[in-house]
Amino acid sequence: MAEAKATIYTVARAVGVSAQTVSRVLNGTGQVSEKTRAAVLAAIEAQGYRPNAVGRSLRASRTPMVGVLVADIGNPFYARLHRAIERRLSGSGYSLMLMNCDDDARIERRQLELLRSYRPTGLVIVPSVGSSLSAADLPAYGHVVSVSRVLDGLPVPAVVTDERESVRAAAEELIAHGHMELALISGPEQASTARAREEGFHEALARHPGRRGIVRHTDGTRAGAQAAAGELLGTRPGPAATGPAATDPTATGPAATGPTAMGPTAMVGFNALVTEGIVSAIMAAGLRCPEDVSVVGFTDAGWMTLHRPPISVIDQPVEEMGALAGRLLLDLAAGESVAPGPRVVPSTLIRRGSVAAPATKIAGPDTQIAGPVTKTAAPDTNEERS
């Protein structure tokens, strides 16, 4: 069996000190006792550890600051992400600078230019839609880690969840309960997260001939989602009826040649804010969840357990994603070799009470309902979820 590669962390563990202490010994900075310095140097020699000289010279000319640039500070997901990164970097000697771009590439560029002037040690970024960040920009920020979204052609480590698989499982859950027409209220069309989730949605429908899927893109906000969901619910007979439904060019499945009998009886939300907008639209239409419309959200939120019944949700592991992003950045800053590309942290489907068979059920050959929809994950103790 090959020996494990010596790293700054294996040296630190052998001596019983932090990686930052080992770094100070290597760089000749900070206050380190002679006894500790000698022990660190002995461990380095014994393990054959060789620090990355390029990384060390780069760090020497940088401030101990890490930028965290997010797409929408109004989304609780990003508050949780920032807190998780901050906790992981706590005690490392780095301070965090939180920046927001409102998912606007122009604002993002201004924020990046501001951060560049501080000569930061690193950047953790959730790229905006249409982001201009390129490989040529990377050296200005020391070390870069992407979270949640990825940019094609950007050679940096990224932390994501299993978007496609998670939404596919949610759609399968709705199909298993007999829903014939499903809607995905998605986010910005150019976002990598939206593309991946839509792929999973379409994959689930393709496995079940006769099912129909509709995708509506939004800006990822409650207001945008409420408008999109309200438009779809307005095609249904009942209190919200506004007239016949026209053929939908975004539909997946058999082509619609006229009005549908019910319109979508199940919806999947792109994020917590979008799910909130869906629920608001259902209420505004005089309909009920799940009696009239079943709902599955994406990223848990505190309000979802307060809704009656509680909302079923794809629980995105935000804290784990933030902690991993922080760890990758520390590894890079310590001179470790970190390969570019995504690290996938799986999400979990939490079954609560917002999924049921449609009021007018058209059973198909693949309709299988194993039992009542119940919560299958432990309650979350976070103050806010996204």
mmCIF file of all heavy atoms in Angstrom, residues 171-182 201-202 204-214 251-255 358 361-369:
data_model
loop_
_atom_site.group_PDB
_atom_site.id
_atom_site.type_symbol
_atom_site.label_atom_id
_atom_site.label_comp_id
_atom_site.label_asym_id
_atom_site.label_seq_id
_atom_site.Cartn_x
_atom_site.Cartn_y
_atom_site.Cartn_z
ATOM 1 N N ALA A 171 -39.406 14.739 -9.020
ATOM 2 C CA ALA A 171 -40.402 14.527 -10.070
ATOM 3 C C ALA A 171 -40.927 13.095 -10.047
ATOM 4 O O ALA A 171 -42.133 12.852 -10.233
ATOM 5 C CB ALA A 171 -39.796 14.851 -11.433
ATOM 6 N N GLU A 172 -40.039 12.140 -9.806
ATOM 7 C CA GLU A 172 -40.470 10.736 -9.697
ATOM 8 C C GLU A 172 -41.451 10.562 -8.536
ATOM 9 O O GLU A 172 -42.408 9.788 -8.634
ATOM 10 C CB GLU A 172 -39.247 9.835 -9.491
ATOM 11 C CG GLU A 172 -38.318 9.728 -10.694
ATOM 12 C CD GLU A 172 -38.796 8.714 -11.725
ATOM 13 O OE1 GLU A 172 -39.897 8.155 -11.550
ATOM 14 O OE2 GLU A 172 -38.054 8.487 -12.703
ATOM 15 N N GLU A 173 -41.207 11.266 -7.451
ATOM 16 C CA GLU A 173 -42.103 11.205 -6.301
ATOM 17 C C GLU A 173 -43.510 11.680 -6.679
ATOM 18 O O GLU A 173 -44.518 11.066 -6.304
ATOM 19 C CB GLU A 173 -41.538 12.086 -5.176
ATOM 20 C CG GLU A 173 -42.388 12.132 -3.924
ATOM 21 C CD GLU A 173 -42.121 10.973 -2.980
ATOM 22 O OE1 GLU A 173 -41.261 10.130 -3.293
ATOM 23 O OE2 GLU A 173 -42.788 10.911 -1.935
ATOM 24 N N LEU A 174 -43.584 12.742 -7.424
ATOM 25 C CA LEU A 174 -44.879 13.285 -7.845
ATOM 26 C C LEU A 174 -45.559 12.361 -8.850
ATOM 27 O O LEU A 174 -46.772 12.136 -8.778
ATOM 28 C CB LEU A 174 -44.673 14.680 -8.439
ATOM 29 C CG LEU A 174 -44.168 15.738 -7.451
ATOM 30 C CD1 LEU A 174 -43.692 16.975 -8.185
ATOM 31 C CD2 LEU A 174 -45.247 16.087 -6.428
ATOM 32 N N ILE A 175 -44.791 11.821 -9.769
ATOM 33 C CA ILE A 175 -45.348 10.892 -10.758
ATOM 34 C C ILE A 175 -45.884 9.638 -10.071
ATOM 35 O O ILE A 175 -46.944 9.108 -10.433
ATOM 36 C CB ILE A 175 -44.272 10.524 -11.801
ATOM 37 C CG1 ILE A 175 -43.960 11.742 -12.677
ATOM 38 C CG2 ILE A 175 -44.717 9.335 -12.652
ATOM 39 C CD1 ILE A 175 -42.754 11.562 -13.585
ATOM 40 N N ALA A 176 -45.164 9.162 -9.046
ATOM 41 C CA ALA A 176 -45.602 7.963 -8.320
ATOM 42 C C ALA A 176 -46.944 8.168 -7.636
ATOM 43 O O ALA A 176 -47.675 7.205 -7.383
ATOM 44 C CB ALA A 176 -44.549 7.570 -7.285
ATOM 45 N N HIS A 177 -47.282 9.421 -7.346
ATOM 46 C CA HIS A 177 -48.570 9.724 -6.724
ATOM 47 C C HIS A 177 -49.674 9.963 -7.746
ATOM 48 O O HIS A 177 -50.791 10.337 -7.384
ATOM 49 C CB HIS A 177 -48.436 10.930 -5.791
ATOM 50 C CG HIS A 177 -47.861 10.582 -4.458
ATOM 51 N ND1 HIS A 177 -46.522 10.356 -4.256
ATOM 52 C CD2 HIS A 177 -48.456 10.387 -3.249
ATOM 53 C CE1 HIS A 177 -46.308 10.050 -2.984
ATOM 54 N NE2 HIS A 177 -47.460 10.062 -2.351
ATOM 55 N N GLY A 178 -49.359 9.759 -9.021
ATOM 56 C CA GLY A 178 -50.393 9.813 -10.042
ATOM 57 C C GLY A 178 -50.516 11.117 -10.802
ATOM 58 O O GLY A 178 -51.458 11.279 -11.587
ATOM 59 N N HIS A 179 -49.606 12.032 -10.617
ATOM 60 C CA HIS A 179 -49.705 13.318 -11.316
ATOM 61 C C HIS A 179 -49.334 13.144 -12.787
ATOM 62 O O HIS A 179 -48.291 12.577 -13.109
ATOM 63 C CB HIS A 179 -48.814 14.358 -10.643
ATOM 64 C CG HIS A 179 -49.299 14.741 -9.279
ATOM 65 N ND1 HIS A 179 -50.283 15.682 -9.086
ATOM 66 C CD2 HIS A 179 -48.965 14.272 -8.053
ATOM 67 C CE1 HIS A 179 -50.520 15.803 -7.779
ATOM 68 N NE2 HIS A 179 -49.737 14.944 -7.128
ATOM 69 N N MET A 180 -50.191 13.670 -13.657
ATOM 70 C CA MET A 180 -49.976 13.560 -15.092
ATOM 71 C C MET A 180 -49.320 14.807 -15.673
ATOM 72 O O MET A 180 -48.652 14.743 -16.698
ATOM 73 C CB MET A 180 -51.319 13.320 -15.803
ATOM 74 C CG MET A 180 -52.021 12.046 -15.366
ATOM 75 S SD MET A 180 -51.077 10.550 -15.769
ATOM 76 C CE MET A 180 -51.108 10.588 -17.554
ATOM 77 N N GLU A 181 -49.537 15.949 -15.037
ATOM 78 C CA GLU A 181 -48.970 17.198 -15.540
ATOM 79 C C GLU A 181 -48.223 17.905 -14.415
ATOM 80 O O GLU A 181 -48.799 18.250 -13.377
ATOM 81 C CB GLU A 181 -50.057 18.110 -16.104
ATOM 82 C CG GLU A 181 -49.492 19.346 -16.784
ATOM 83 C CD GLU A 181 -50.503 20.021 -17.699
ATOM 84 O OE1 GLU A 181 -51.522 19.394 -18.049
ATOM 85 O OE2 GLU A 181 -50.267 21.182 -18.077
ATOM 86 N N LEU A 182 -46.916 18.090 -14.610
ATOM 87 C CA LEU A 182 -46.045 18.675 -13.594
ATOM 88 C C LEU A 182 -45.448 19.975 -14.119
ATOM 89 O O LEU A 182 -45.264 20.142 -15.323
ATOM 90 C CB LEU A 182 -44.901 17.723 -13.242
ATOM 91 C CG LEU A 182 -45.173 16.457 -12.434
ATOM 92 C CD1 LEU A 182 -46.036 15.473 -13.197
ATOM 93 C CD2 LEU A 182 -43.841 15.791 -12.062
ATOM 94 N N PHE A 201 -35.513 17.012 -14.268
ATOM 95 C CA PHE A 201 -36.966 17.070 -14.443
ATOM 96 C C PHE A 201 -37.367 16.377 -15.741
ATOM 97 O O PHE A 201 -38.272 15.526 -15.766
ATOM 98 C CB PHE A 201 -37.387 18.546 -14.455
ATOM 99 C CG PHE A 201 -38.876 18.791 -14.553
ATOM 100 C CD1 PHE A 201 -39.723 18.457 -13.508
ATOM 101 C CD2 PHE A 201 -39.415 19.387 -15.685
ATOM 102 C CE1 PHE A 201 -41.090 18.712 -13.589
ATOM 103 C CE2 PHE A 201 -40.774 19.640 -15.781
ATOM 104 C CZ PHE A 201 -41.614 19.304 -14.728
ATOM 105 N N HIS A 202 -36.687 16.710 -16.832
ATOM 106 C CA HIS A 202 -37.005 16.107 -18.122
ATOM 107 C C HIS A 202 -36.692 14.614 -18.143
ATOM 108 O O HIS A 202 -37.412 13.829 -18.776
ATOM 109 C CB HIS A 202 -36.233 16.816 -19.236
ATOM 110 C CG HIS A 202 -36.654 18.245 -19.451
ATOM 111 N ND1 HIS A 202 -37.971 18.614 -19.569
ATOM 112 C CD2 HIS A 202 -35.922 19.383 -19.571
ATOM 113 C CE1 HIS A 202 -38.043 19.921 -19.756
ATOM 114 N NE2 HIS A 202 -36.813 20.419 -19.747
ATOM 115 N N ALA A 204 -36.927 12.493 -15.663
ATOM 116 C CA ALA A 204 -38.005 11.780 -14.967
ATOM 117 C C ALA A 204 -39.226 11.641 -15.867
ATOM 118 O O ALA A 204 -39.841 10.566 -15.952
ATOM 119 C CB ALA A 204 -38.373 12.509 -13.683
ATOM 120 N N LEU A 205 -39.595 12.699 -16.568
ATOM 121 C CA LEU A 205 -40.767 12.649 -17.442
ATOM 122 C C LEU A 205 -40.551 11.698 -18.610
ATOM 123 O O LEU A 205 -41.480 11.001 -19.039
ATOM 124 C CB LEU A 205 -41.076 14.060 -17.956
ATOM 125 C CG LEU A 205 -41.588 15.034 -16.885
ATOM 126 C CD1 LEU A 205 -41.498 16.464 -17.389
ATOM 127 C CD2 LEU A 205 -43.014 14.699 -16.492
ATOM 128 N N ALA A 206 -39.315 11.661 -19.123
ATOM 129 C CA ALA A 206 -39.027 10.784 -20.257
ATOM 130 C C ALA A 206 -39.203 9.317 -19.892
ATOM 131 O O ALA A 206 -39.468 8.476 -20.764
ATOM 132 C CB ALA A 206 -37.613 11.034 -20.763
ATOM 133 N N ARG A 207 -39.065 8.997 -18.619
ATOM 134 C CA ARG A 207 -39.211 7.611 -18.166
ATOM 135 C C ARG A 207 -40.672 7.193 -18.042
ATOM 136 O O ARG A 207 -40.961 6.014 -17.829
ATOM 137 C CB ARG A 207 -38.526 7.430 -16.808
ATOM 138 C CG ARG A 207 -37.009 7.611 -16.834
ATOM 139 C CD ARG A 207 -36.438 7.462 -15.448
ATOM 140 N NE ARG A 207 -34.980 7.599 -15.428
ATOM 141 C CZ ARG A 207 -34.235 7.464 -14.339
ATOM 142 N NH1 ARG A 207 -34.821 7.178 -13.177
ATOM 143 N NH2 ARG A 207 -32.922 7.596 -14.411
ATOM 144 N N HIS A 208 -41.577 8.149 -18.140
ATOM 145 C CA HIS A 208 -42.996 7.858 -17.918
ATOM 146 C C HIS A 208 -43.827 8.448 -19.049
ATOM 147 O O HIS A 208 -44.344 9.568 -18.928
ATOM 148 C CB HIS A 208 -43.444 8.421 -16.565
ATOM 149 C CG HIS A 208 -42.661 7.882 -15.409
ATOM 150 N ND1 HIS A 208 -42.982 6.694 -14.770
ATOM 151 C CD2 HIS A 208 -41.552 8.363 -14.781
ATOM 152 C CE1 HIS A 208 -42.105 6.469 -13.791
ATOM 153 N NE2 HIS A 208 -41.234 7.466 -13.789
ATOM 154 N N PRO A 209 -43.967 7.738 -20.151
ATOM 155 C CA PRO A 209 -44.747 8.236 -21.288
ATOM 156 C C PRO A 209 -46.157 8.631 -20.857
ATOM 157 O O PRO A 209 -46.790 7.975 -20.030
ATOM 158 C CB PRO A 209 -44.773 7.037 -22.245
ATOM 159 C CG PRO A 209 -43.557 6.239 -21.881
ATOM 160 C CD PRO A 209 -43.405 6.409 -20.396
ATOM 161 N N GLY A 210 -46.618 9.731 -21.424
ATOM 162 C CA GLY A 210 -47.957 10.206 -21.089
ATOM 163 C C GLY A 210 -47.958 11.337 -20.084
ATOM 164 O O GLY A 210 -48.936 12.064 -19.972
ATOM 165 N N ARG A 211 -46.852 11.478 -19.358
ATOM 166 C CA ARG A 211 -46.749 12.604 -18.428
ATOM 167 C C ARG A 211 -46.329 13.855 -19.208
ATOM 168 O O ARG A 211 -45.648 13.785 -20.214
ATOM 169 C CB ARG A 211 -45.718 12.316 -17.342
ATOM 170 C CG ARG A 211 -46.284 11.785 -16.050
ATOM 171 C CD ARG A 211 -47.038 10.509 -16.209
ATOM 172 N NE ARG A 211 -47.517 10.020 -14.903
ATOM 173 C CZ ARG A 211 -48.082 8.860 -14.728
ATOM 174 N NH1 ARG A 211 -48.253 8.045 -15.748
ATOM 175 N NH2 ARG A 211 -48.495 8.494 -13.528
ATOM 176 N N ARG A 212 -46.735 14.995 -18.709
ATOM 177 C CA ARG A 212 -46.420 16.257 -19.379
ATOM 178 C C ARG A 212 -45.736 17.184 -18.386
ATOM 179 O O ARG A 212 -46.161 17.291 -17.229
ATOM 180 C CB ARG A 212 -47.698 16.895 -19.914
ATOM 181 C CG ARG A 212 -47.494 18.197 -20.707
ATOM 182 C CD ARG A 212 -48.797 18.604 -21.391
ATOM 183 N NE ARG A 212 -48.625 19.792 -22.217
ATOM 184 C CZ ARG A 212 -48.850 21.029 -21.807
ATOM 185 N NH1 ARG A 212 -49.254 21.239 -20.562
ATOM 186 N NH2 ARG A 212 -48.689 22.059 -22.617
ATOM 187 N N GLY A 213 -44.677 17.852 -18.829
ATOM 188 C CA GLY A 213 -43.962 18.766 -17.957
ATOM 189 C C GLY A 213 -43.871 20.156 -18.540
ATOM 190 O O GLY A 213 -43.718 20.334 -19.748
ATOM 191 N N ILE A 214 -43.979 21.147 -17.697
ATOM 192 C CA ILE A 214 -43.874 22.545 -18.103
ATOM 193 C C ILE A 214 -42.767 23.194 -17.283
ATOM 194 O O ILE A 214 -42.692 22.991 -16.065
ATOM 195 C CB ILE A 214 -45.201 23.297 -17.851
ATOM 196 C CG1 ILE A 214 -46.343 22.638 -18.635
ATOM 197 C CG2 ILE A 214 -45.072 24.770 -18.226
ATOM 198 C CD1 ILE A 214 -47.713 23.184 -18.288
ATOM 199 N N ALA A 251 -43.351 22.779 -22.846
ATOM 200 C CA ALA A 251 -43.844 21.519 -22.292
ATOM 201 C C ALA A 251 -42.995 20.347 -22.760
ATOM 202 O O ALA A 251 -42.467 20.336 -23.866
ATOM 203 C CB ALA A 251 -45.299 21.285 -22.696
ATOM 204 N N THR A 252 -42.881 19.346 -21.874
ATOM 205 C CA THR A 252 -42.203 18.095 -22.197
ATOM 206 C C THR A 252 -43.262 17.003 -22.249
ATOM 207 O O THR A 252 -44.103 16.921 -21.363
ATOM 208 C CB THR A 252 -41.176 17.740 -21.123
ATOM 209 O OG1 THR A 252 -40.157 18.733 -21.120
ATOM 210 C CG2 THR A 252 -40.543 16.389 -21.401
ATOM 211 N N GLY A 253 -43.229 16.152 -23.259
ATOM 212 C CA GLY A 253 -44.207 15.081 -23.338
ATOM 213 C C GLY A 253 -45.083 15.277 -24.571
ATOM 214 O O GLY A 253 -44.759 16.043 -25.478
ATOM 215 N N PRO A 254 -46.252 14.611 -24.624
ATOM 216 C CA PRO A 254 -47.132 14.715 -25.780
ATOM 217 C C PRO A 254 -47.495 16.165 -26.063
ATOM 218 O O PRO A 254 -47.755 16.940 -25.148
ATOM 219 C CB PRO A 254 -48.367 13.896 -25.348
ATOM 220 C CG PRO A 254 -47.858 12.984 -24.297
ATOM 221 C CD PRO A 254 -46.780 13.729 -23.589
ATOM 222 N N ALA A 255 -47.512 16.540 -27.325
ATOM 223 C CA ALA A 255 -47.822 17.919 -27.685
ATOM 224 C C ALA A 255 -49.246 18.257 -27.295
ATOM 225 O O ALA A 255 -50.169 17.470 -27.475
ATOM 226 C CB ALA A 255 -47.635 18.104 -29.187
ATOM 227 N N PRO A 358 -53.479 13.542 -7.061
ATOM 228 C CA PRO A 358 -54.318 14.648 -7.536
ATOM 229 C C PRO A 358 -55.788 14.365 -7.281
ATOM 230 O O PRO A 358 -56.217 13.209 -7.214
ATOM 231 C CB PRO A 358 -54.002 14.715 -9.035
ATOM 232 C CG PRO A 358 -53.482 13.359 -9.374
ATOM 233 C CD PRO A 358 -52.768 12.869 -8.160
ATOM 234 N N LYS A 361 -57.561 11.925 -10.386
ATOM 235 C CA LYS A 361 -56.385 11.104 -10.681
ATOM 236 C C LYS A 361 -56.615 10.248 -11.906
ATOM 237 O O LYS A 361 -57.630 9.581 -12.040
ATOM 238 C CB LYS A 361 -56.061 10.216 -9.486
ATOM 239 C CG LYS A 361 -54.849 9.315 -9.707
ATOM 240 C CD LYS A 361 -54.594 8.501 -8.465
ATOM 241 C CE LYS A 361 -53.478 7.499 -8.713
ATOM 242 N NZ LYS A 361 -53.244 6.642 -7.558
ATOM 243 N N ILE A 362 -55.651 10.314 -12.819
ATOM 244 C CA ILE A 362 -55.674 9.442 -13.991
ATOM 245 C C ILE A 362 -54.553 8.439 -13.814
ATOM 246 O O ILE A 362 -53.386 8.763 -14.010
ATOM 247 C CB ILE A 362 -55.482 10.241 -15.291
ATOM 248 C CG1 ILE A 362 -56.529 11.359 -15.376
ATOM 249 C CG2 ILE A 362 -55.549 9.334 -16.501
ATOM 250 C CD1 ILE A 362 -56.325 12.291 -16.545
ATOM 251 N N ALA A 363 -54.870 7.248 -13.403
ATOM 252 C CA ALA A 363 -53.838 6.266 -13.078
ATOM 253 C C ALA A 363 -53.161 5.762 -14.340
ATOM 254 O O ALA A 363 -53.806 5.494 -15.338
ATOM 255 C CB ALA A 363 -54.451 5.106 -12.308
ATOM 256 N N GLY A 364 -51.867 5.635 -14.282
ATOM 257 C CA GLY A 364 -51.095 5.089 -15.390
ATOM 258 C C GLY A 364 -50.511 3.757 -14.984
ATOM 259 O O GLY A 364 -50.548 3.369 -13.816
ATOM 260 N N PRO A 365 -49.940 3.033 -15.922
ATOM 261 C CA PRO A 365 -49.383 1.705 -15.624
ATOM 262 C C PRO A 365 -48.213 1.763 -14.658
ATOM 263 O O PRO A 365 -47.893 0.766 -14.035
ATOM 264 C CB PRO A 365 -48.940 1.191 -16.998
ATOM 265 C CG PRO A 365 -48.743 2.426 -17.827
ATOM 266 C CD PRO A 365 -49.777 3.390 -17.339
ATOM 267 N N ASP A 366 -47.561 2.935 -14.554
ATOM 268 C CA ASP A 366 -46.400 3.012 -13.674
ATOM 269 C C ASP A 366 -46.716 3.746 -12.381
ATOM 270 O O ASP A 366 -45.827 4.143 -11.658
ATOM 271 C CB ASP A 366 -45.242 3.706 -14.388
ATOM 272 C CG ASP A 366 -45.655 5.059 -14.965
ATOM 273 O OD1 ASP A 366 -46.819 5.435 -14.764
ATOM 274 O OD2 ASP A 366 -44.808 5.704 -15.604
ATOM 275 N N THR A 367 -47.985 3.950 -12.091
ATOM 276 C CA THR A 367 -48.357 4.636 -10.866
ATOM 277 C C THR A 367 -48.199 3.696 -9.680
ATOM 278 O O THR A 367 -48.878 2.683 -9.588
ATOM 279 C CB THR A 367 -49.818 5.131 -10.939
ATOM 280 O OG1 THR A 367 -49.934 6.035 -12.026
ATOM 281 C CG2 THR A 367 -50.211 5.825 -9.638
ATOM 282 N N GLN A 368 -47.307 4.013 -8.780
ATOM 283 C CA GLN A 368 -47.056 3.186 -7.605
ATOM 284 C C GLN A 368 -46.880 4.088 -6.404
ATOM 285 O O GLN A 368 -45.983 4.918 -6.365
ATOM 286 C CB GLN A 368 -45.793 2.341 -7.797
ATOM 287 C CG GLN A 368 -45.905 1.331 -8.924
ATOM 288 C CD GLN A 368 -44.621 0.564 -9.090
ATOM 289 O OE1 GLN A 368 -43.590 0.908 -8.530
ATOM 290 N NE2 GLN A 368 -44.678 -0.507 -9.861
ATOM 291 N N ILE A 369 -47.758 3.962 -5.445
ATOM 292 C CA ILE A 369 -47.660 4.747 -4.219
ATOM 293 C C ILE A 369 -47.419 3.784 -3.069
ATOM 294 O O ILE A 369 -48.264 2.970 -2.724
ATOM 295 C CB ILE A 369 -48.938 5.572 -3.969
ATOM 296 C CG1 ILE A 369 -49.206 6.494 -5.176
ATOM 297 C CG2 ILE A 369 -48.819 6.383 -2.689
ATOM 298 C CD1 ILE A 369 -50.467 7.299 -5.059
#
